[in-house]
Amino acid sequence: MKPIIELNNLTFKYQRTDARPALEDVSLSINQGEWVAIIGHNGSGKSTLAKTINGLLLPESGSVKVGSKELNEENIWSVRKMVGMVFQNPDNQFVGATVEDDVAFGMENQGVPRDEMIERVKNALEQVRMSEFATKEPVRLSGGQKQRVAIAGVVALRPDIIILDEATSMLDPEGREEVIATIKKIKEENNLTVLSITHDIDEAANANRVLVMRQGQLVDEGTPEKIFSAGPKLVEMGLDLPFPEKLKQSLKQRGVDVPQNYLTEEGMVDWLWTSILKK
Amino acid sequence: MMNKLILGRYIPGDSLIHRLDPRTKLLMSFYFIGIIFFANNWQSYLFLSVFTLFCVFLSKVDFGFFLRGVRPLLWLILFTVALQMFFTSGGQIYWQWGIFRLTEYGVQNGIFIFCRFVLIIFMSTLLTLTTPPLELSDAIEYILRPLKAIKFPVHEISLMLSIALRFVPTLMDETEKIMNAQRARGVDFGEGNLVQKMKAVVPLLIPLFVSSFNRADDLATAMEARGYQGGEGRSKYRVLHWHTRDTITVIVYVFVTVGLIYLRN
């Protein structure tokens, strides 16, 4: 496994006079093909971190390495070719007047010839199951559909890394599931690296690794199982409790002796029926 | 409020006029407005009216839309016609009162001006009713292209146009939402005297401005993240195609011009 993103001692301030930097001495590395979730409170620096990776923000000190290149002002555009980003608000990142125009926008920027664009737009829309909406305008789409179009726009560019900057936070539960399933599928098919910034428990549960940020610093990291077993502390970290954890807590309050380690929903079901049978 | 406005509305359809290249439609609409000033007798006006009505018929759009297109300009038309009627001298005098004088030439000029107004409005309404705004902006970009030679920012203007068009419905929705939200807090829109009405607009306009700037910021970030660096080295996904029907339209216009010159005095 070779690292595709490396951050070394990254520090960033929005204003020189800010008392506390938005990012303070952050170092991390992400391997190719990994799905990493970054969680943390509002204002913990998650989004800032995402923006430093493709050069939308330039760090004050420290270095960002994407692929094997160190990000600087000269290679910023070639780095952006490797990194596709899906943002929070589905309305505000829709550039094109119709779905296909929007998917094509990134390719137009790279000067992809038109015949190839038509092909790639078609494929990308198929991958996110939006083909029948190709000529629709953004006002006619739901939030989840707009996010899927944004993902198609990223997929059509064939990046190595997809960054989801709270891409599901403005969607309803259905839209959220749709978008996560789409990303999951595309990640498997194209062997992408996914970096998702999220408050959403399901999104974090899908990750290979979870990073926890607090006040601009990286405070914890581990597998979702390890992070989720922190129990009630999760809420402080900026995540909701997963449903099995909530159930465990309610059972605990009623005096039931529950296992300490994290259980998935399936694990919880297994544990429940075995413990009922034992009685 | 917005639904009554015909100007700039597009009615989807699949008629011959709908399928014409937007460049043809745009150029020919301007051309029509140019040649209408050549008409100077009732034969030539009749000829142009028949031609316009034929185009309207071809578009298969409900005639009511065209009449509604005239409505916002009705007062301007009546005012101009009245001026022409009462202040043109010459020919037989029908009626006179002080400086007002109704003459033969005056009546004739009034009717001509009226026809001219209505025909121009019909033609421009036809253009917007049958052309999606997006195609119109493509056409404008294409037509402006030669201006690149004098360093006119054609790509930037056309991107601005298409982003503006894409955000019109979004901002309309937003306006509606803000209005409702402010109504829920007791703001009365369109009530009271002029000053009160204007004051009521403030809680609508300020949030709208702020959110537009926020949107612009988000959009710019998203565009940059997708590799936008300006017009250089960009390819185009949307391409306009010139068909035989467009050539035919141009030929028809040539005949109309010839006919018009033949009919005028």
Side-chain angles (χ1 to χ4, degrees):
Chain A
M1 279 289 184
K2 62 173 197 262
I4 192 160
I5 302 175
E6 272 182 284
L7 306 184
N8 289 314
N9 311 98
L10 204 66
T11 300
F12 179 84
K13 274 185 183 179
Y14 278 97
Q15 244 107 45
R16 220 160 269 223
T17 50
D18 280 358
R20 188 177 66 75
L23 292 177
E24 202 176 338
D25 201 24
V26 175
S27 300
L28 61 92
S29 91
I30 294 168
N31 292 327
Q32 190 169 3
E34 228 183 345
W35 181 320
V36 176
I38 301 181
I39 61 172
H41 260 307
N42 287 335
S44 60
K46 306 181 300 280
S47 295
T48 312
L49 184 68
K51 283 182 182 158
T52 54
I53 291 174
N54 70 352
L56 288 171
L57 299 173
L58 289 173
E60 204 160 284
S61 64
S63 68
V64 179
K65 235 178 169 182
V66 179
S68 51
K69 282 171 274 189
E70 184 168 324
L71 185 72
N72 57 34
E73 272 176 54
E74 279 131 50
N75 63 17
I76 210 165
W77 295 105
S78 61
V79 165
R80 279 181 193 163
K81 266 188 193 176
M82 295 180 61
V83 184
M85 237 174 144
V86 180
F87 293 91
Q88 181 175 23
N89 189 327
D91 252 325
N92 295 359
Q93 57 179 312
F94 211 106
V95 189
T98 66
V99 167
E100 43 180 6
D101 285 312
D102 191 64
V103 177
F105 179 76
M107 286 187 281
E108 288 182 322
N109 292 336
Q110 296 187 4
V112 176
R114 184 159 182 271
D115 296 327
E116 201 186 327
M117 269 201 272
I118 293 171
E119 191 63 28
R120 274 159 75 168
V121 166
K122 213 179 125 230
N123 286 339
L125 285 176
E126 261 165 33
Q127 277 187 299
V128 300
R129 302 182 315 280
M130 287 293 289
S131 301
E132 52 183 312
F133 297 93
T135 54
K136 290 273 188 295
E137 288 128 45
V139 253
R140 294 176 194 277
L141 305 178
S142 73
Q145 288 172 330
K146 276 180 224 167
Q147 286 306 59
R148 267 150 62 196
V149 173
I151 294 168
V154 167
V155 169
L157 287 173
R158 307 197 173 139
D160 303 293
I161 304 156
I162 291 188
I163 299 178
L164 306 170
D165 186 357
E166 298 192 38
T168 59
S169 65
M170 288 178 89
L171 305 179
D172 59 11
E174 236 172 82
R176 221 173 261 201
E177 262 170 49
E178 268 179 8
V179 168
I180 295 174
T182 309
I183 289 279
K184 221 174 170 178
K185 195 185 95 186
I186 288 168
K187 180 190 175 295
E188 297 309 317
E189 282 169 6
N190 305 312
N191 188 31
L192 293 173
T193 310
V194 176
L195 182 63
S196 80
I197 288 155
T198 185
H199 289 284
D200 182 49
I201 195 77
D202 296 321
E203 219 176 302
N206 272 315
N208 305 115
R209 195 147 57 99
V210 179
L211 308 175
V212 183
M213 290 197 69
R214 188 182 295 149
Q215 301 202 323
Q217 287 168 313
L218 210 57
V219 289
D220 200 359
E221 74 168 282
T223 57
E225 290 78 21
K226 184 196 154 210
I227 300 288
F228 290 169
S229 56
K233 271 198 207 147
L234 276 174
V235 183
E236 278 168 48
M237 288 177 184
L239 266 191
D240 200 11
L241 283 181
F243 178 70
E245 284 298 321
K246 280 186 194 161
L247 186 62
K248 256 159 65 175
Q249 274 200 302
S250 307
L251 288 173
K252 221 179 196 171
Q253 277 170 8
R254 287 179 171 75
V256 182
D257 193 23
V258 288
Q260 276 302 307
N261 56 331
Y262 170 74
L263 294 172
T264 57
E265 265 179 57
E266 245 172 76
M268 194 72 193
V269 171
D270 282 346
W271 175 77
L272 276 174
W273 71 259
T274 43
S275 50
I276 286 171
L277 274 185
K278 269 183 212 157
K279 277 178 187 167
Chain B
M1 166 176 82
M2 304 295 179
N3 288 336
K4 285 183 195 149
L5 206 69
I6 289 296
L7 205 75
R9 270 272 297 277
Y10 164 64
I11 312 285
D14 192 32
S15 66
L16 176 68
I17 307 271
H18 277 91
R19 272 178 280 133
L20 279 180
D21 191 291
R23 285 169 295 180
T24 321
K25 280 188 271 188
L26 189 66
L27 286 178
M28 289 305 130
S29 300
F30 279 115
Y31 182 70
F32 183 83
I33 293 170
I35 61 170
I36 200 165
F37 290 96
F38 284 118
N40 61 358
N41 56 9
W42 68 269
Q43 290 99 332
S44 48
Y45 272 108
L46 186 71
F47 177 62
L48 285 182
S49 304
V50 169
F51 174 68
T52 309
L53 288 178
F54 180 64
C55 292
V56 168
F57 167 75
L58 275 184
S59 75
K60 293 185 192 155
V61 176
D62 186 18
F63 195 65
F65 282 115
F66 291 90
L67 293 182
R68 273 197 272 161
V70 176
R71 201 185 290 162
L73 292 171
L74 199 61
W75 289 111
L76 180 70
I77 296 173
L78 288 182
F79 180 70
T80 321
V81 168
L83 276 187
Q84 285 288 337
M85 278 189 152
F86 293 119
F87 292 103
T88 313
S89 54
Q92 201 184 339
I93 296 170
Y94 300 122
W95 178 79
Q96 193 165 13
W97 182 74
I99 53 162
F100 298 107
R101 192 189 293 146
L102 200 61
T103 64
E104 188 187 341
Y105 284 0
V107 171
Q108 200 186 16
N109 262 352
I111 293 172
F112 285 174
I113 291 282
F114 181 78
C115 282
R116 196 180 286 170
F117 260 116
V118 171
L119 291 185
I120 289 177
I121 295 168
F122 271 24
M123 265 304 179
S124 41
T125 314
L126 183 70
L127 171 73
T128 55
L129 285 183
T130 58
T131 320
L134 202 68
E135 283 187 19
L136 218 49
S137 83
D138 284 343
I140 292 171
E141 182 185 4
Y142 189 89
I143 292 165
L144 291 183
R145 211 180 277 175
L147 293 182
K148 256 185 203 159
I150 55 163
K151 301 232 163 83
F152 187 78
V154 177
H155 163 75
E156 281 74 12
I157 297 278
S158 81
L159 187 79
M160 260 164 62
L161 247 174
S162 63
I163 288 177
L165 288 172
R166 175 239 166 288
F167 272 97
V168 167
T170 314
L171 288 180
M172 293 255 248
D173 276 0
E174 176 119 24
T175 312
E176 195 69 41
K177 264 186 219 154
I178 296 173
M179 273 175 101
N180 285 338
Q182 300 291 20
R183 274 196 197 111
R185 290 162 179 76
V187 178
D188 268 333
F189 290 104
E191 295 277 320
N193 61 31
L194 197 65
V195 178
Q196 282 168 327
K197 268 189 203 166
M198 274 158 67
K199 274 188 182 159
V201 176
V202 174
L204 171 66
L205 276 189
I206 290 178
L208 201 58
F209 261 110
V210 173
S211 94
S212 306
F213 280 110
N214 283 338
R215 275 181 201 282
D217 192 31
D218 276 3
L219 185 73
T221 313
M223 282 169 70
E224 211 177 313
R226 287 163 75 180
Y228 180 74
Q229 307 174 63
E232 287 306 307
R234 247 178 138 252
S235 50
K236 270 189 83 67
Y237 182 72
R238 306 181 64 85
V239 177
L240 298 168
H241 292 288
W242 187 268
H243 295 277
T244 325
R245 51 177 176 263
D246 298 301
T247 317
I248 293 171
T249 313
V250 173
I251 294 170
V252 167
Y253 261 97
V254 169
F255 277 114
V256 168
T257 316
V258 171
L260 189 67
I261 290 167
Y262 174 74
L263 284 174
R264 75 192 293 256
N265 293 344

